[in-house]
Structures are given as structure tokens and as C-alpha cells.
Amino acid sequence: MNTGFIRTIGRVNFIAILIILALAVAVPYGNLVAPPTSLVYVPDYMVALLGKFLTYAMLAVSLNLVWGYGGILSLGHGAFFALGGYVMGMYLMRQIGDRGVYSNPILPDFMVFLNWKELPWFWWGFDQFWFAALMIVLVPGLLAFVFGWFAFRSRVSGVYLSIITQAMTYALLLAFFRNDMGFGGNNGLTDFKDILGFNLQSQETRATLFALSAVFLAGFLLLVAWITTSRYGKLLVATRDAESRTRFLGYRPERVKLFVWTLSAMMAGIAGALYVPQIGIINPGEFAPANSIEVVIWAAVGGRGTILGPVVGAFLVNGGKSWFTGLFPEFWLFVLGALFVLTTLYLPKGIIGTVKGFWQARNARKQSQKDADVPKDTSRPATVEAPAE
Amino acid sequence: MKKLTSSMLYLDDVSVAFDGFKAINSLSLVLEPGEMRAIIGPNGAGKTTMMDIITGKTRPDRGSVYFDGDVDLTRFDESAIATMGIGRKFQKPTVFESHSVEDNILLSMSGDQTISSLLFGRKSIGEKQRIDEILATIRLDGLRHEQAENLSHGQKQWLEIGMLLAQNPKLLLIDEPVAGMTDAETVETARLLREIAKTHAVIVVEHDMDFVRDLDVKVTCLHEGSVLAEGPLEHVSANEEVIDVYLGR
Amino acid sequence: MFVRLVTAILMIVAVFVSPLLAQENALRPIIGEFAAAKKFSAVALVIDRLAATGDPRVAVPLRALSAGKLKFRKSDNAVFIVEQSGDQIILNDPLTGKPASGESVASTSDLKKVKIKNSLRRKIDTALSGLTLKSKSTVVRLQAAQTIFAASDASALTALDAALESEKDPVVREAFLDARASALLTSSADTAEKIKAVNRITARGDQPALALLSTLQTSAPAELKLAIDEGIDEIKAGLQLWSSAQNIWYGISLGSVLLLAAIGLAITFGVMGVINMAHGEMVMLGAYTTFVVQEAIRTSAPALFDYSLLIALPLAFLVSATVGLLMERGLIRHLYGRPLETLLATWGVSLILQQTIRTIFGPTNREVGNPSWMSGAFELGQMSITWNRLWIVVFAFAVFAVLYFILNRSALGLDMRAVTQNRRMAAAMGIRTPWVDAMTFALGSGIAGVAGVALSQIDNVSPNLGQSYIIDSFLVVVFGGVGNLWGTLVGAMSLGIVNKFLEPYAGAVLGKIFILVLIILFIQKRPRGLFALKGRAVES
């Protein structure tokens, strides 16, 4: 691998991506091959838990792309995640075939229960994996495109946009709770049997899904690293910091945003699609606005606008949640609330951002010590605070 | 196609009101190709609103605005007008704070702006040379890797002018370029603008009369949204009305 | 029209008064005595006893007796009003006249008619008119008229005519004339007169009139049927109008709830440009304050219960305003100029507040009672209006008026408006913007607390109470525009009314989704809302 590539995406990021790829091999090995007495043995529940975290991390990475780099605070990214999950759920429902409670070869159980006679048109094609795979990115992508086209065109931004995205996921939550929407109402889609012919209950399939999630997460990180170092990525950050400047330079910020917004929604969709087979259920609760806001805190804790921040944040916050809800379930909301408050007040750059800041400051100090011998560049300006808005 | 006017910028009888307040009132102004014009006037005279109208940020209620002879600017938005070749520097220096000086210039380069070319394109040799040229012009070549947020106020003003140059416009609108600058920086900026004016049409809005004198160009004085006086600085500054509303005695 | 209104109001009073009259239980045994009355004189005695109760409801069995329909079952001496259609024998309750469920007889031979003759019939008529139509109580007379109207009982005609001659009260006269028209329809009067009666009934325009005409529709002869059909159409059109009015009322009611929830948010967002995601929790705190106040009153001074809301109002304002002030000083102030971070931090606060309340009061709904003056409902024309909704509408407008006054007449309001329009200029003019921010936030939160007192009357008081309001409130603010109270008012009312008009067609959920889509489309046209501030300063 050439060093130019490593330098472009950053050495630390590169190592992290390698670690994630190593996990894709190590965890399935530890689960399937290593004996339970071994040090590297990974119990089944741990595979499921870590697999879930990986998909959460993917969701956080996709959110970070629009929020950290594009300045678009989405409070509705859970909607894209859930849509991807529902698409996957529809495929898995069709795979059940006649093994359902009502043994109907075409109709999923809930449709039989609701006395539906035939498959609604929007369920057509989901028995084919390639079609479902396409829809996993197309459905969230299309929703994001239409929504973003309207929103960015009319220059809706800041808190307006945030609340409207929240309203979007809220509307979907209400819609998916309805039985006549044809997505299983408040029970959602569940009782999946197999995926591409592999039994979803078998540990081999689960380990494979884990590995797949890790590979996708690594791919996402590479994608984000590549995008943010491209000229487009620089323009995206420029749009975040001074949108009107880009407009007066002849750019169309609405297109810049629409691209990253749609791409991010597709990534969230993929995350959701990998989440559902590992969890075994998708229901309208995934659309709850509170879920989407929680994703924001993952990215914030880890460090928005950094490549690895959202991954670190997703693992830390969710790890903390698992641990805490096990010990003191009634206190978790206090902790989560405090996390929101403290992170925004004292750790606005997040863990990775702060560490990076220290690191750069240290390097700068070293550099200036080196420079101490040579005559100082007196033209170097004092730092001037940007005037407040 | 025959051009409507031979001028670079042509404003005729332009008016705009905000909630009944007439920010621009029947304003007419003509700028010839290659001309540099200084605009002075008290606060609220409509200087910035005039720039908003030219750059498509504000639509006039009435009147016509033509660029480069026959382009009706009232029919286009900011991005389209910028692409046609009108660059604008804001009153408050607006640069991309989290990017390096060099990247600020790079992002300002005119060229293919489709998403795919932005994603896959690489910096060309020509672009590198152009960046070097511009950095030399605005005297920031020593700071090319510095983050823009670390620049001084005056340096940010220069960087923004450099970004306009990178945009390769036919007309530059420059709003208060020397506000907050030291005297030395002010002199340097006047020199920079005179240099730019050799190859571009320029409109400069400024309060600093010494600076305007330094520029040594035709001056337009705005008051309450319309032109109060126009001509060489000595002529304008001798105008009784200008003295009354703006310069003071 | 006015007369009808008064009639309607008296009817409601009647509902409250009737429990004062003889208990139903007291009437039934007397009616039962008909079964034992073997001689005319005995029957006459029972009639007298029934009339002596003074209860207008005895009209039903007495009229049935007069018509020869009052019979008793030989096996157990149970008395019924018996209707016969073909082979079918229908046993009706002797007091209500409604079908008696679970009662049956095999054939007519199982029943025996209570003895009746013309002299007894006259006795009944006199008793009835004296009892009901000529009662001293207006309420009783109206009720009697209503009963005859609904039953369309031709046998009451004579009594009605007699009563009309002496009736002075215009309201009651109208009711008697309505009842007479109804009774006329089942009598042997000629068609022309019946058509007149139909027109009179049509003019009532209410649900009972429609019900009456509908039952008569099928059996009416051709010419009369035409008039009835027209009447039904006319009443239906009128009722349609009334139902629109009812919908508008529901809309205004929903709108005033939205207004209460949104108005505090509107001023904080207007002045500070930040969204307080814990705004809904301020509402919740207000509701819980009401709960605590009511609990305290229940245990220590139950007599004050009717004043509990008035006591809770200032307390709720104080509680929420204090929490809001603490939030502003401790948190939001430090995030100034970072609206998105503010949004996240206040969300964190909302989680903490929710969990705190859950820990203290438990996760389940708490019971907050309606004071007596907020219970019940009344009818206005064909609309039904509940008192609590009415008071909340009144309250919402009062809060609006007070806020409007504060914003436009007080020094703080002047400062707030200045900061809304141009913060930097306001600061330059010597306005202490941090102080204005703190006061605005306290005021906005306090208003939310006050809203919580009102909402505790119609919503479940649970820790999740606030969550449902934040999105709706924000949509109101977006729709109405920032920095203008009128915008919030118009925004809240139009969203409320549109919502209620969509509901019957689209259902509550789809209606809500439709409104969200509408608002997203709306901000395409007016990104700054209906009542937007204009000018350069607003742009940045």
C-alpha cells in the first residue's frame, strides 16, 4: 500500500481501519473456532452485542458525514436507518415462505391475520435479494433526496432543519404504527428464518453478519476519509463554515449539501439493513425521534468532524448503556442527559477531536522549540478572534 | 447580438424597500469596462443593499440592472451571477476559517464545479501556478499552509480579495476593505486594489477618505438610496450637500 | 332563533333538575298496581296516585293506558306497554316506553289489558295536562313538550291544545307548538295541515327533528313524503353547517392548546434564536405542580378544591420560570452563538427532568381533577361545548393578551423586541442582552409552566407529557414566523383548525402527516413563516 494513500487518510485512521478489519476475522474466530476455555473465546451474546454496536457505529459515521463535515444537524437519521432495516425486514419476511404460523407461501403472517388477500404492490420483488439490496440504498436515498431537495433549495438550515428532520421521522413513526400501511403495524416485522438460505439462528450466520458489518464499517470510514480529503470535502466544510461565501464564489451549496445528505442517508440505510438480521426484529419504535437524537450524542462524544470520532462514541456510549442499564436501569437517562449537557459544554470537539487538538498543540510546541534557534518569523500574526455573528 | 449598453454595469432607476423603508430609491449608476469606482456615503445610504442587488441577493422592486452590456442581473441568483464573473467581498471578512490559505484560494478557482469533478479531480499544474501568483499578489505566500482562522483581520481581508481574484471575475465588488486595518496595511491595500484595477472593473465601498484619495478614481456619494454626487474626489468633497450629510464641516 | 337558544339552555337545566323529582324506583311499584286493579274504580285510584307523584314521566304509562296499550303478564303481573305488529308482540317498559329487554310472552293470551273507559281517558288527559303541560315548573312543561315531540303521540293533541290556550311563556309556547306539530303528524289531520307541521319541525333543524322525520318518512303518503324528504334534506344541510362550526370549535380548542404550548417557545426562539428542547418538560413541570397543589388541597383544605387551578397558576409559573432561569444561567448562556449545541444540551436537560419526575412521582399517569366549574358540557345550537375546553380557549387568549401587553408596553418587552430585531445593535444601545436573555428564558419557561396547568385538565399527566408538544410547538413557530406574537396566534389556530378538518377525512395520524408535509412545502414559499421580519439585519 503506498504511503501517499496512508498520508491522505491519516495514519491513525488507517490503523483503526486495519483494527476493525482484524476484528472481522478475530471475533468470528474467537466465537466459532476457539474453545470456550480459551482466552480469545468470544461468547455468542458478545458477538450479537458487538455486531449491534458496529451497525450503530455505521449510523454514527453516516450522521457525522452530514453534521461534522456538512454542518447539517439531522435529528432524523434514525429514519433512514429504520427504512433500510424495514427493507431488509421485508426481504427476510418473504424468505419465511410457507413456514409462517399461517403457512401462506406468499403473504407474511400479519397480512393473513389482517385478512389481506394479495401482496400489496410495494412488497413485490422483495423475494429477490438483489432487489432488496438495491432498495436498501434507494429507499432512504430517495426520501433523503426529495426531502433535501425541498429543504436545501429554500435555504432551510440550522435549528429549522434539525426540527424538520425530527418531524420527518416523527411522521414516519406515526405512519408505520398503522396496520394499513402494510408493514406489520406496531409489531413490525419479525420471526425471520433465514437470509440467502442461511439459517439466521445459526452461530455461523451470525458471525458472518458480524464480519460483514465490520467490513462495511471499515469501508464507510475509507469512504468518509476519501470524501473529506477531496476538493468536494473541502467545499463541504467551506459550506458549513461560510455558506454565503461559497454561493458568491459561484457554487451551489444546496447541491453540495444534497449530495452528502443523500449519500449519508444511503449509508444509514445499509447500517439499518445489517442491524435487522442481527437483532431479529424491526418495528416502528426505531423511528422514535429520541433514537435519532441519541445517535447525535454518539458522534458528539467521540468527536464530530473527525473520521474515527463517531465509531469511538458509538461504542463508548452504547457500551456504557449496556453496562448501566444492567446495573442501575433507572439512572441511565440521568447519565445520558448529563452526557448531552457535559459534552456540549466541556467537550465540544469530542474525545478524538480533543486528543487531536492536544496532539497538534504538542507537535506545534516541539516545532517552535526547534525553530527557537532560527530567527523568528515576526510577520506571523497574532491570533484574532473572529467577530461574533 | 447587439449589446444594450457598452457599460460593464448599468443600474437604472432601481428601488427596493424593506417594510416600507426605501433602502434604495431610484438609483442609477454606470460603470465602464476596466473602471474602478469608489462609493462613499453615510451609514444606511444603501451601499451594501446596492451590492446585494447586483449580486442577486436582493431583488429590486423596480428598475433595471444590466451586467456586461446585456445580461439582466435581476433574473439570476447569487451562484449564477458569481459564475458570470462578479466577485464580492463582504463587509465582514468571510473566509473558510478551518481551511488553509492555499485551500481557500483553491476552492475559489473558477472551473468545473460538478460534484463528480470535485470528488475525483486533482489539482492541476495550471492551478498550482495560479495559486502561487495570487498568493504573491496578496502577499500571503509565506502563510500558505496556515489555517485561515489564525490570520489577522487585515490578512483575512487580503485573503478574501485573493479569493475573488481566483474566481477570475470581470467585476469585483469590494465592501469596506480597509475597515480595521493598520495604516500600513491600508496603504498596501490601496496599492493592491490599483493593481487589480488594471485588469478588472472594480467597485469599492469605503469610509476611509484617505484611502479613497489614495485610490485616485471617480467617486460616487450615495445618500438615502440615491446618488448625491459623482465625479473626482475633489469635486465630490466640495459639494455642499455631501458636506452636509456625510463629510461634515 | 333566540327563543330556540333559550329553549336549549332550559333543556340543559332540566337535565340537572330532574334528579330532584320522584325517584324512578318510587314510580314502578305504583305502575305495578295496575295489574291488581280489577275494577274501573281501582284503576282510577292508581291513576290518581301516579298523578300525585308530580313526575312528568308518568305521562308514558298513562298515555299508553289511554290508548289501551297498557297490559300485564298473567304469569307474574309485570306491566308492559304492548305494541303489536302482525304476529310480533313487543313488550315495552311501562315507564320509559323503550323495548324491555329479556321480556317476552308466547301469545296475546298471556297478557291482560288494564281496564280503560272514556271517563277514565278524560281523567288521564286532565291529570296529564295538569301534571306536565300545565305544571307550574317551566322545566317540567318543556320536558313534557320534548317527550311528546319525540314520541309523536297523537293522543296528546287535546291536552296540548288545552295547554297552549293558557300558556304565557313564549319559550314554552314554541316547544308546545313543536310538540303539537309532531303529534299532528300521527293524527288523522289532513295533509295540508301535516305539511305545515313538517315545515315547523324542519325549522327546528336539530337531531331530534331529523330523527322524527326519518321515522315518519317511510310510512307517509306520497304528498307528505315529498315535504318530509325536503325537510330532511334541509335539516341535514343545516346540521352539516353546525358540524362545520363544531369542527371549527374543536380546531380553535386544539389551536389554543398549541398556542399555549408554543407561545413560550416562540419568544425564546425569537429573542435568542435557540430552541429549548426541554420546553415540553416545562409544560410537564407545570402540570405536576398542579398535581402537587391538588394533593395538598385534598389532604388539608378540600373546600379549596375549586380554586386549586388558580393557586397552581402562579406556582407553576414560578417553578418552571426558576428551572428555566437556572438552565439559561447554567447552560445556555455558555453555548451562546451555537444554536445546534444548545438544542442538544437542552435535550439532555429534558431527559434529566423527565427522569427526575419519573423517580419522584412514578412513571404512571397522575390524577389531576377538574374543578366543578370546568366539568360538564353545554350545547350551543347543535354544538356541544365542554367547559374545560372553553376555559382553556379563554385562558390561552388571556395568556396571549398578557404576553402581548408585556412585549408591547413594558420595558422588558421593548428590550426583548429590540434584541429580536438586531441583537448587536441592541447591545450597542446599552441594552443588557444577557439580562434580556435570562428574563426571556424565564418568561418563556414560566408561560410553559402555566400552559401545563391548563393542559393537566385535558391531557394525561405523566413524565412523557412534554415530549408530544415540542414538535407541534415548533411547527407552529415555523409556520407563524419568528419574532411576532400574532404569527404564533394565527399559526396555532390555523394548524389546529386544519388538523381538525383533515381528521374526519384522513384520520388523526394521516392528518398529522399531511400537515407536516404541508409545512415543509409551506416553508418553500415562506421560509421565514407567515409574519416574517424583513430587512438586512434578519438575514445573518
Side-chain angles (χ1 to χ4, degrees), chain A residues 150 160 163 171 304 330 344, chain C residues 338 341 355 474 482 516 524:
Chain A
F150 278 117
Y160 276 85
I163 302 284
R304 66 194 157 101
E330 64 274 29
T344 45
Chain C
R338 290 153 63 196
E341 272 93 336
Q355 190 59 36
F474 190 81
V482 174
L516 285 175
Q524 299 298 304

Side-chain angles (χ1 to χ4, degrees), chain C residues 232-377:
Chain C
I232 287 177
D233 287 348
E234 200 181 316
I235 295 176
K236 274 185 178 162
L239 284 177
Q240 189 66 44
L241 267 181
W242 276 112
S243 109
S244 298
Q246 178 88 63
N247 265 337
I248 289 177
W249 166 249
Y250 285 147
I252 290 174
S253 166
L254 176 64
S256 53
V257 169
L258 290 176
L259 179 65
L260 278 173
I263 200 161
L265 194 73
I267 58 171
T268 47
F269 186 51
V271 173
M272 305 168 72
V274 299
I275 285 291
N276 178 11
M277 294 293 272
H279 186 79
E281 276 60 42
M282 301 297 169
V283 176
M284 174 197 73
L285 286 182
Y288 271 92
T289 309
T290 317
F291 168 73
V292 171
V293 167
Q294 287 199 348
E295 283 300 289
I297 285 177
R298 274 204 190 99
T299 51
S300 56
L304 287 177
F305 188 76
D306 270 359
Y307 302 97
S308 59
L309 295 191
L310 295 181
I311 299 167
L313 277 180
L315 288 176
F317 183 90
L318 276 182
V319 168
S320 294
T322 310
V323 174
L325 190 67
L326 289 177
M327 263 178 83
E328 205 281 333
R329 290 283 88 188
L331 184 61
I332 292 168
R333 173 165 79 102
H334 302 291
L335 296 170
Y336 175 64
R338 290 153 63 196
L340 295 182
E341 272 93 336
T342 312
L343 201 142
L344 295 179
T346 51
W347 172 261
V349 173
S350 86
L351 291 182
I352 294 172
L353 286 175
Q354 271 178 42
Q355 190 59 36
T356 309
I357 292 296
R358 203 172 282 129
T359 310
I360 300 174
F361 294 97
T364 49
N365 291 348
R366 289 316 211 149
E367 177 71 27
V368 172
N370 289 343
S372 60
W373 46 275
M374 279 186 87
S375 319

